[in-house]
Amino acid sequence: MLSTFFINICVMITFMYISGIIAKYYNIRVPFPSLRVQMIGGFLFGIYGTVLMNYSFPLNEDTIVDLRHLAIVTAAVYLGGLASVISGLVISILRIAIFGLSSPAIDAGFVMTLIGLSGVYFAYASWSRLTKIITMNLLGITLIFVILFLNSSSMNSLMKVYPLQMTISFVGGIFIYFIAEFINKSNEMLFLLERRASTDHLTNLSNRRQFEKSLELQLERARENRQKLSLLVIDIDRFKKVNDTYGHSAGDAVLKQLGQLLIEHSRSADMVSRNGGEEFAILLLDCGNHQALAIAESIRQSVEKYLFALPDGTTIRLTISIGVAVFPDHCDEQDDADFFEQADRALYEAKNTGRNRVCAIPKRSKVLIGNRLL
């Protein structure tokens, strides 16, 4: 009997590990996960609880004892009320489907459903996770005792099993808490590392590495779908003067505010990045030359009018220069690097012709030589 309950704990820990791996692909780093995540998680934990029934201890020919309720408790505390309800229903339905329809099966299904429903309250209670697990676990153990008592013909046989179940269930719940917290923290650290690898620490925009990956991906999509792709390369005019006059903290403040301005004046699907120093870039998806120039000019005017607030309370005005290139109009269709080089070339033209302006290089003419378009 002790070995059976021990297997229950080992199976549950294995499931927690598997769930931790799956959780890397879903947004669970929010107080209340999405309904989709809760539905998927609730179904999975329902399956977990059902598997635990295969490692149960028979109290009599119709009644089995195990730790399946811990699957519902875990779903409630770490995913939410919907996940708790779904896991309880899945366990209840599969209990009857696998072991047959009987009075104990119906009673057990009712209790699992009731524990699942109670999870709606525990999921959103303003308690610590450990308190939620302990309290909900104790509630589950109590309800299970009631149903076992109703379906047991001998109080002596019940008391031979229940104290051990209660003890292992309580210890198992605490053990699962520490395992789940470890997995959560590990996933959070992985998420932060991945984010730092692709995000500029100062502006929270994409960094140069992420920009290059996005550029490669979007160029490939533009080729496949025969769409236009525009690139704005942006540089702050005379930014060194800001650092020399007001200090690097002022320069950092300017970069943060400019990053926010670029996001606000770009479309939601566009990709904004800081590529280093005072240079930024924006990938405009499915965007032709006229629209790209209009967006670039709108950004330039917005920056020119904006008052940048410095840490000491001073406000200053700045201007930017923008180079525009459009794929495939301005570059070699098969050369990814050429696309950025042409936008960079346009930026230098804007710098060399007076700054505070938008420039685009002339559209490349294409002639047919033989069967090849050049």
Side-chain angles (χ1 to χ4, degrees):
M1 183 168 59
L2 180 61
S3 62
T4 300
F5 284 128
F6 178 74
I7 291 173
N8 272 239
I9 295 295
C10 290
V11 171
M12 196 64 195
I13 290 172
T14 301
F15 290 153
M16 291 299 299
Y17 175 74
I18 294 171
S19 299
I21 295 175
I22 296 173
K24 294 177 183 178
Y25 303 98
Y26 295 93
N27 184 16
I28 62 169
R29 291 168 292 273
V30 293
F32 303 104
S34 67
L35 294 180
R36 179 170 176 263
V37 170
Q38 291 197 49
M39 290 175 66
I40 294 172
F43 180 77
L44 285 177
F45 276 93
I47 297 298
Y48 298 164
T50 303
V51 172
L52 289 174
M53 287 190 287
N54 290 290
Y55 298 95
S56 58
F57 180 84
L59 186 62
N60 55 48
E61 63 179 26
D62 293 319
T63 307
I64 57 177
V65 179
D66 51 54
L67 302 180
R68 78 193 87 154
H69 72 285
L70 286 178
I72 305 174
V73 172
T74 307
V77 173
Y78 286 95
L79 291 174
L82 179 61
S84 175
V85 173
I86 291 175
S87 62
L89 289 173
V90 169
I91 292 173
S92 301
I93 293 169
L94 294 180
R95 166 67 170 89
I96 296 173
I98 295 172
F99 294 96
L101 182 62
S102 63
S103 178
I106 294 174
D107 291 342
F110 174 75
V111 168
M112 291 300 112
T113 302
L114 193 59
I115 294 173
L117 290 170
S118 72
V120 175
Y121 170 76
F122 286 100
Y124 306 112
S126 57
W127 303 342
S128 68
R129 285 173 174 166
L130 181 58
T131 302
K132 290 179 183 180
I133 285 181
I134 292 174
T135 309
M136 191 174 175
N137 192 8
L138 290 174
L139 173 63
I141 293 171
T142 302
L143 292 173
I144 290 169
F145 175 79
V146 172
I147 210 67
L148 290 176
F149 176 76
L150 294 175
N151 287 280
S152 176
S153 58
S154 171
M155 190 64 178
N156 288 334
S157 62
L158 175 58
M159 294 312 296
K160 288 179 181 178
V161 177
Y162 183 75
L164 181 59
Q165 183 197 21
M166 181 179 66
T167 302
I168 294 181
S169 179
F170 182 78
V171 174
I174 294 176
F175 196 55
I176 286 171
Y177 164 77
F178 286 108
I179 293 293
E181 289 298 307
F182 174 78
I183 292 172
N184 260 2
K185 289 178 181 177
S186 296
N187 283 350
E188 183 67 23
M189 289 298 295
L190 179 62
F191 170 76
L192 290 175
L193 287 173
E194 290 175 345
R195 181 177 177 82
R196 288 173 182 173
S198 61
T199 305
D200 175 61
H201 71 283
L202 183 63
T203 60
N204 286 325
L205 301 176
S206 297
N207 60 16
R208 180 63 179 257
R209 177 184 176 187
Q210 183 61 35
F211 165 77
E212 291 174 349
K213 289 174 62 177
S214 298
L215 179 61
E216 181 180 357
L217 175 64
Q218 295 305 325
L219 279 171
E220 186 62 31
R221 288 180 177 174
R223 291 188 189 99
E224 292 176 356
N225 301 324
R226 298 186 177 278
Q227 290 180 336
K228 301 282 188 179
L229 179 66
S230 295
L231 172 62
L232 311 184
V233 178
I234 303 164
D235 192 82
I236 303 175
D237 297 328
R238 299 183 174 89
F239 181 70
K240 185 177 182 298
K241 185 177 179 181
V242 175
N243 283 329
D244 292 344
T245 304
Y246 302 100
H248 288 280
S249 61
D252 289 347
V254 167
L255 293 172
K256 289 180 183 178
Q257 291 169 70
L258 177 59
Q260 189 59 40
L261 271 176
L262 296 181
I263 291 175
E264 290 174 0
H265 289 85
S266 300
R267 302 170 305 175
S268 59
D270 297 333
M271 301 176 183
V272 184
S273 67
R274 180 189 173 205
N275 289 359
E278 65 270 29
E279 183 179 300
F280 295 78
I282 305 178
L283 269 177
L284 303 173
L285 309 187
D286 192 18
C287 180
N289 187 60
H290 293 298
Q291 188 177 8
L293 288 172
I295 292 173
E297 180 60 24
S298 173
I299 291 173
R300 185 199 66 78
Q301 291 180 14
S302 298
V303 173
E304 185 180 27
K305 297 174 183 177
Y306 188 80
L307 285 174
F308 290 86
L310 306 186
D312 64 358
T314 304
T315 58
I316 61 172
R317 293 185 184 274
L318 294 171
T319 61
I320 57 174
S321 299
I322 305 177
V324 180
V326 180
F327 174 88
D329 298 349
H330 297 150
C331 60
D332 183 342
E333 291 189 37
Q334 303 306 317
D335 187 353
D336 290 359
D338 187 50
F339 183 39
F340 183 82
E341 288 173 4
Q342 296 307 323
D344 206 39
R345 176 183 160 195
L347 172 64
Y348 276 103
E349 182 179 343
K351 288 283 191 182
N352 293 331
T353 54
R355 298 184 175 86
N356 189 26
R357 63 186 60 203
V358 175
C359 285
I361 62 172
K363 183 176 180 179
R364 286 189 174 181
S365 60
K366 297 185 179 182
V367 296
L368 189 66
I369 300 179
N371 293 324
R372 188 178 178 187
L373 193 63
L374 300 175

